[in-house]
Amino acid sequence: MDGVELLLAALALGASTGVADATSATVRDAAESFRALVRRRLSGDGQQALRSLDAEGDESGVWQVRLADDLTRAGVDRDEQILRLARDLLAQARAGARTEIGHVDLRGAKGVQVGDSNIQYNTFN
């Protein structure tokens, strides 16, 4: 993943509805702080692209085209501190997405699901 792709992934974190629900408040706050940091480094087009991301979420993809050029023009894609923060943010989001269930003994079990938010229909004959 190059610098621009890394930044776009980190900026998109928390923008879509599903991600916002799945991430912790800590990750959402960190993502917002990261967007604010990048926003300070950008000029007009990049500012508009970030506003578009905030308003529309990451579904349209229009913001990515506008923002990629401005990130490069502003040199943000070469700023090691911002790139490190982007990597840390994405790692934090991945770690937060994993949940620990603990020890589960399934010996002799039938029709079992382990995890959150599962739906299962069983018919035993």
Side-chain angles (χ1 to χ4, degrees):
M1 185 180 296
D2 72 4
V4 171
E5 291 170 340
L6 176 67
L7 292 169
L8 292 175
L11 290 167
L13 187 67
S16 67
T17 307
V19 174
D21 293 342
T23 56
S24 71
T26 304
V27 173
R28 283 192 305 271
D29 291 346
E32 185 55 41
S33 294
F34 181 75
R35 275 199 292 274
L37 173 67
V38 172
R39 183 176 282 118
R40 287 191 293 271
R41 294 281 308 268
L42 297 176
S43 62
D45 288 341
Q47 294 284 339
Q48 289 173 336
L50 279 175
R51 281 193 292 274
S52 174
L53 170 62
D54 291 339
E56 301 169 20
D58 67 346
E59 300 300 320
S60 73
V62 173
W63 65 273
Q64 291 177 334
V65 176
R66 287 190 243 162
L67 191 53
D69 289 337
D70 204 53
L71 288 168
T72 303
R73 203 171 22 257
V76 180
D77 65 324
R78 295 177 304 278
D79 184 318
E80 285 303 317
Q81 180 184 11
I82 290 179
L83 292 173
R84 183 178 42 78
L85 291 171
R87 283 186 205 96
D88 292 347
L89 176 60
L90 292 172
Q92 185 180 10
R94 280 191 299 273
R98 293 189 300 262
T99 58
E100 297 259 344
I101 293 176
H103 179 75
V104 178
D105 184 352
L106 299 175
R107 288 177 282 186
K110 293 170 76 176
V112 175
Q113 279 190 330
V114 177
D116 296 331
S117 303
N118 294 320
I119 297 174
Q120 178 173 326
Y121 303 97
N122 294 326
T123 302
F124 297 103
N125 294 326

